[in-house]
Amino acid sequence: MAGGAAAGEAQCLSYAGCNFLRQRLVLSTLSGRPLKIRKIRAKEEDPGLRDFEASFIRLIDKVTNGSRIEINQTGTTLYYQPGLLHGGSLEHDCSPSRSIGYYLESLLCLAPFMKHPLKIVLRGVTNDQVDPSVDVLKATALPLLKKFGIDGESLEIKINRRGMPPKGGGEILFACPVRKVLQPIQFTDPGKIKRIRGTAYSVRVSPQMANRMVESARSILNKFLPDIYIYTDHMKGISSGKSPGFGMCLTAETINGTILSAELASNPQGQGAAVLPEELGQNCAKLLLEEVYRVSGQYVLCV
């Protein structure tokens, strides 16, 4: 019995600090190996796990069955013994201090390996200045999953309501089929850019904000490529969340199916200086061109 306990302790992965918390929990869940994380912000004035990290741990507990989670009184030590990935129909209220993208990134890694197809409703902030927005993950992560053989009508990310910081109020639906074996791919040549798509969104502000962002972004991008279409998305009433704001998400697609993205969002209500929609649209277009340059070493556009 003592030998078995010692073997269990030996298998337990041990880490220190709060870095890569999500990645460690996701990989622990996929591999089935327990882990212990010590000294989580131990020397800070406010030590331990933050509210968004605690919310993420609750989400992991919801999508698994039989997980064992132990957190000490100060929140500086976490022990996690993963259970089985169960899936099914779930709901989760995300912490408004981080975007839904913070939680969705990890679910995209876990969802294909569930016992039952995952269908989950996430509530919180859909677009902020810190994490990838739901729009970017929908435009970039879903096509990438399809390359690995994870496809079908049941694979979707649907934005029911938008929510901007600080109060959030957004809601999305993420559904993913089960695929126990992934299709291997060889994907090394990004290719030339053939088209640019995007979304300019605005909530609880004038609908003209979105149109002004589109015009300013096109004033830069039209110099490089003719095939550009940027949708405007203005949500009203209950669909507009609890805080005002606007932003833009742009994607560049290559002839080989690579999708590059860039996004910007306005400052949260009551924080920082007010941003003009023209300025935000131009900066977002420049960010996309920088991303193209970073990947290919030059503005390789297929005109």
Side-chain angles (χ1 to χ4, degrees):
M1 189 73 179
E9 282 295 319
Q11 284 183 344
C12 181
L13 300 166
S14 185
Y15 299 102
C18 62
N19 287 347
F20 311 113
L21 180 78
R22 288 181 302 161
Q23 291 89 328
R24 286 166 176 170
L25 289 171
V26 165
L27 294 173
S28 169
T29 306
L30 290 173
S31 63
R33 296 185 68 181
L35 62 80
K36 192 167 192 176
I37 304 175
R38 300 179 179 85
K39 299 178 182 176
I40 301 172
R41 301 186 183 89
K43 294 183 179 178
E44 293 188 19
E45 287 184 15
D46 184 17
L49 293 164
R50 298 287 181 258
D51 58 346
F52 59 87
E53 292 167 331
S55 180
F56 179 76
I57 293 166
R58 285 194 295 273
L59 176 62
I60 292 288
D61 190 39
K62 283 181 184 177
V63 299
T64 57
N65 190 9
S67 293
R68 184 177 153 208
I69 299 164
E70 295 174 9
I71 302 170
N72 70 346
Q73 201 166 3
T74 57
T76 54
T77 302
L78 165 69
Y79 174 77
Y80 173 62
Q81 186 172 348
L84 298 172
L85 284 164
H86 189 262
S89 295
L90 301 166
E91 294 184 6
H92 183 69
D93 292 323
C94 305
S95 168
S97 41
R98 292 297 286 265
S99 160
I100 289 174
Y102 174 85
Y103 305 87
L104 192 55
E105 277 184 312
S106 299
L107 284 180
L108 287 163
C109 301
L110 296 172
F113 308 105
M114 302 279 178
K115 185 178 180 182
H116 303 287
L118 180 66
K119 195 170 185 179
I120 186 166
V121 173
L122 298 173
R123 298 187 186 91
V125 174
T126 54
N127 306 80
D128 71 357
Q129 298 175 324
V130 182
D131 300 294
S133 69
V134 179
D135 297 271
V136 160
L137 292 175
K138 182 178 180 178
T140 58
L142 292 193
L144 192 59
L145 286 179
K146 288 176 182 177
K147 289 183 183 293
F148 287 99
I150 306 163
D151 54 8
E153 290 181 6
S154 53
L155 177 67
E156 69 165 335
I157 295 175
K158 184 180 177 185
I159 302 172
N160 297 327
R161 296 202 293 261
R162 283 196 186 275
M164 300 293 289
K167 294 180 182 178
E171 179 183 290
I172 69 129
L173 169 71
F174 171 53
C176 182
V178 175
R179 293 288 186 276
K180 294 298 181 189
V181 179
L182 298 183
Q183 182 179 308
I185 63 167
Q186 190 169 1
F187 196 43
T188 54
D189 180 19
K192 292 184 178 181
I193 306 296
K194 66 176 180 179
R195 64 172 167 232
I196 292 172
R197 295 290 181 267
T199 304
Y201 57 86
S202 57
V203 291
R204 297 190 174 273
V205 294
S206 167
Q208 280 301 313
M209 293 289 198
N211 297 328
R212 288 161 65 184
M213 283 187 286
V214 171
E215 287 174 20
S216 61
R218 287 187 70 100
S219 68
I220 291 178
L221 297 173
N222 277 337
K223 298 173 185 174
F224 297 93
L225 203 66
D227 190 358
I228 300 166
Y229 198 90
I230 304 171
Y231 301 87
T232 56
D233 181 15
H234 179 72
M235 289 194 169
K236 299 177 182 177
I238 193 169
S239 300
S240 63
K242 299 175 182 176
S243 297
F246 56 89
M248 176 175 271
C249 156
L250 293 174
T251 57
E253 187 180 342
T254 72
I255 53 176
N256 292 348
T258 305
I259 297 177
L260 309 175
S261 67
E263 64 173 330
L264 277 178
S266 59
N267 290 327
Q269 186 182 24
Q271 299 177 30
V275 181
L276 288 172
E278 288 84 1
E279 191 182 338
L280 190 143
Q282 286 185 351
N283 289 339
C284 192
K286 289 174 185 175
L287 278 176
L288 183 68
L289 292 175
E290 279 181 25
E291 189 67 25
V292 172
Y293 188 81
R294 193 179 297 119
V295 169
S296 60
Q298 55 185 316
Y299 294 134
V300 184
L301 304 168
C302 182
V303 180

